[in-house]
Amino acid sequence: MRKSAWVTIFTVCLTAGQTVGFPEQTENPTTEASFFDDAFAEIDSEQYEGRANFRDVPANLTGAHLYRVQLKNNEHKRVFLDLIKTEQIDVWMQSRGKKAKAVFMVLAANVEKVNMRFYEADITLKRLSDNVQKLVDEENPSENVTKLSNSKTGYALTWKAYHKASVIHDFLDNYATNYKDLCTVEKIGNTVEGRPIKIIKISSGGDKKRPAFFIDGGIHAREWISPATVTYIIRELVENRTAYSFADEVDFYIVPLMNVDGYEHSRTRDRLWRKNRAPGALCKGVDLNRNFGYKWGGKGSSSSVCRGNHRGPSAFSEPESQAIRDFILKFDIGTFKAYLTVHSFGQYIMYPWGYDYMTPPDGTELQRVGDLAAAAVKKLTNTSYKVGSSAKLLYAAAGGSDDWAKAVAEIPYAYTLELRDKGDYGFILPAKFIKPTGLETMAMVQVVAEEMLKAERLKKN
Ligand code: ARG
Ligand code: ZN
């Protein structure tokens, strides 16, 4: 539908034979692939099966270095790509812009070689850590710190530490029991390994339907700040409810932890695991954020089972993405007005499209609301978030939940958030940042909810 709208605009422009700009910033087709888009394409075109599958063997992080880099010219990019392909570096975050930026890890065994390579190519690196294992060891405070608060709240979850999946789920169940008129908890499916995927509905509406707002966290296992922040939002909407005037006008549906198996795997076996735990002889796991059924199989998604961005054998092949799809599609189209999917890291507020370098017809509205959210955060905690469409800001990646939410579920305000930080700790964000990150994410939720409600009121008048 949107595609044909674009084709129409394009055809009109062609037949008119003029160089008139597109109305607003609609689906402006550009083919400005970034370095990273080309890199993804090149990597995926080569067969990786049978090669070192470093993602399935937990890396030894002792003495591993973390770096930030800006790739200023083609030579820089060539060297960088070669290091990715030969698996001497592990890229944690990448974004485009005038200069390609990346945060990447180098295992201890490769540090010397890799540094030499960058030195020879005249590439300056900023070293963020000389021992990633130390970051991991210091990320999460010991159990006793967290035990203190159990008695007060009746649940074991805190925002002083990262907790296991069952503690997150018990927290939801506790709310269902103690806030009967406000909270309902439901199992929306099971993971590959049979763990429940839970959703909490927070609504004071009774049977009356309000504009609905969907939030999910923990699609990617290693992005621990995501479920921690999403549970923070849940707590605000329940225990601090009176602080938010929009709360009584919206039905919230929140899945704090979509990739339960991957999260547990990342807690107990491999801190940097990203995908779900789909079985596979050679390599396990499907990237759930490449598995959604809109433009599935396109750019930035790999067919190779060992890659971190493996898209799976078909759209919605995974029970975790199916659960989200089936839950949302049980409702009439038009019920959900906002969708937030929470990731880390990099500090971005992104809207569709992710599958290609285009923005939807209402791209200017998505940008406007995103800008407002970023401004609210800046004011609150002085943290800077960049706003833009995701393929243009980071890289093209098809099969994301945001694109599906926008195009298929027709949820107008669809965003992907990349929370803190900008790479100082990356995925291994110390637990002391949960509260400030929760606070600022709640400010984003507030802006999106309020702007969504305003738009609804305008429609009715
Ligand atoms: N870092 C996220 C990922 O790689 C960004 C997703 C943005 N959305 C998209 N449809 N590409 O999954
Ligand atoms: Zn992610």
Side-chain angles (χ1 to χ4, degrees):
M1 179 195 88
R2 282 162 218 280
K3 169 89 184 183
S4 62
W6 166 72
V7 170
T8 313
I9 295 167
F10 196 55
T11 318
V12 167
C13 287
L14 279 182
T15 40
Q18 315 160 332
T19 47
V20 229
F22 294 97
E24 296 178 318
Q25 205 208 355
T26 50
E27 304 202 20
N28 185 4
T30 60
T31 45
E32 25 163 346
S34 75
F35 160 65
F36 292 117
D37 298 295
D38 294 335
F40 274 138
E42 201 169 321
I43 288 167
D44 197 40
S45 70
E46 295 178 11
Q47 281 308 306
Y48 270 76
E49 276 83 355
R51 292 194 42 190
N53 305 313
F54 65 102
R55 276 293 116 234
D56 268 14
V57 183
N60 175 8
L61 304 180
T62 304
H65 289 197
L66 194 64
Y67 294 99
R68 187 169 18 232
V69 71
Q70 283 207 349
L71 306 169
K72 299 187 176 159
N73 56 45
N74 288 337
E75 168 65 5
H76 287 186
K77 291 172 182 174
R78 202 182 53 74
V79 170
F80 196 76
L81 178 57
D82 183 62
L83 288 168
I84 300 177
K85 287 210 257 179
T86 54
E87 297 177 2
Q88 297 181 76
I89 65 177
D90 179 15
V91 178
W92 282 17
M93 200 274 293
Q94 50 206 267
S95 66
R96 51 194 296 164
K98 284 204 194 78
K99 288 163 192 155
K101 273 187 267 176
V103 174
F104 63 95
M105 181 178 75
V106 188
L107 299 185
N110 297 326
V111 161
E112 216 172 305
K113 259 190 305 181
V114 166
N115 267 297
M116 190 55 93
R117 212 47 216 291
F118 279 107
Y119 178 78
E120 283 165 2
D122 204 21
I123 303 173
T124 337
L125 300 180
K126 165 129 176 72
R127 193 172 76 191
L128 305 162
S129 166
D130 63 1
N131 186 1
V132 176
Q133 185 59 48
K134 187 159 175 275
L135 300 184
V136 171
D137 294 342
E138 291 170 358
E139 173 183 32
N140 213 8
S142 70
E143 286 287 318
N144 5 339
V145 181
T146 62
K147 286 248 165 65
L148 285 173
S149 36
N150 294 5
S151 47
K152 270 191 289 174
T153 58
Y155 49 78
L157 192 70
T158 71
W159 290 270
K160 294 181 191 147
Y162 298 106
H163 297 271
K164 59 184 172 204
S166 63
V167 169
I168 295 175
H169 284 161
D170 288 349
F171 161 73
L172 301 184
D173 293 338
N174 177 286
Y175 275 6
T177 310
N178 292 322
Y179 299 87
K180 280 209 165 55
D181 295 335
L182 190 61
C183 301
T184 339
V185 174
E186 199 189 306
K187 188 183 90 166
I188 60 168
N190 286 309
T191 62
V192 166
E193 292 177 346
R195 295 184 176 85
I197 303 167
K198 291 194 178 188
I199 193 164
I200 184 166
K201 176 184 180 189
I202 308 171
S203 165
S204 55
D207 286 340
K208 194 172 170 291
K209 288 198 168 51
R210 277 97 196 252
F213 194 136
F214 195 97
I215 303 175
D216 65 58
I219 289 191
H220 288 140
R222 62 192 175 184
E223 299 165 8
W224 290 6
I225 190 63
S226 164
T229 296
V230 174
T231 55
Y232 182 98
I233 291 165
I234 294 170
R235 186 190 62 170
E236 284 297 294
L237 290 172
V238 173
E239 294 185 38
N240 196 18
R241 190 167 182 78
T242 50
Y244 305 101
S245 59
F246 64 86
D248 281 336
E249 297 174 62
V250 180
D251 292 340
F252 281 91
Y253 294 87
I254 307 181
V255 177
L257 187 57
M258 191 193 300
N259 181 6
V260 194
D261 296 345
Y263 183 72
E264 287 302 285
H265 189 71
S266 129
R267 289 181 49 83
T268 56
R269 300 256 177 259
D270 181 354
R271 180 63 190 82
L272 294 175
W273 186 260
R274 164 182 166 99
K275 302 183 283 184
N276 78 346
R277 293 296 292 163
L282 200 56
C283 284
K284 283 187 156 198
V286 168
D287 182 347
L288 297 174
N289 214 30
R290 303 289 182 275
N291 192 241
F292 280 71
Y294 184 68
K295 305 281 177 185
W296 177 88
K299 294 192 171 97
S301 74
S302 177
S303 60
S304 306
V305 293
C306 297
R307 305 302 308 172
N309 61 342
H310 175 51
R311 62 173 88 112
S314 57
F316 289 117
S317 56
E318 305 309 301
E320 295 88 355
S321 51
Q322 285 166 15
I324 302 292
R325 173 197 64 190
D326 295 345
F327 183 83
I328 291 179
L329 293 185
K330 267 195 324 211
F331 295 80
D332 294 334
I333 292 282
T335 304
F336 288 97
K337 303 293 183 193
Y339 172 81
L340 282 189
T341 180
V342 183
H343 291 249
S344 76
F345 58 95
Q347 295 171 203
Y348 295 99
I349 299 172
M350 298 183 297
Y351 52 86
W353 302 113
Y355 74 93
D356 217 335
Y357 323 102
M358 298 185 286
T359 46
D362 58 349
T364 42
E365 171 66 358
L366 288 164
Q367 178 76 38
R368 184 187 71 82
V369 174
D371 284 338
L372 282 177
V377 170
K378 184 77 190 163
K379 206 172 142 196
L380 189 65
T381 59
N382 200 31
T383 316
S384 304
Y385 279 74
K386 280 209 181 96
V387 185
S389 70
S390 73
K392 292 185 178 191
L393 215 49
L394 300 188
Y395 43 79
S401 66
D402 48 2
D403 283 3
W404 177 84
K406 178 81 182 157
V408 180
E410 297 182 34
I411 307 178
Y413 294 95
Y415 292 94
T416 295
L417 304 181
E418 295 285 353
L419 303 180
R420 292 192 196 190
D421 59 10
K422 288 170 104 163
D424 293 350
Y425 299 96
F427 303 117
I428 326 290
L429 191 70
K432 66 168 187 226
F433 293 110
I434 296 173
K435 282 178 188 170
T437 308
L439 187 71
E440 68 200 22
T441 310
M442 192 62 209
M444 300 188 228
V445 169
Q446 170 156 4
V447 167
V448 175
E450 284 171 351
E451 293 306 312
M452 170 269 266
L453 286 170
K454 269 189 220 163
E456 284 305 295
R457 280 182 218 116
L458 276 177
K459 269 202 292 188
K460 277 191 192 120
N461 294 338

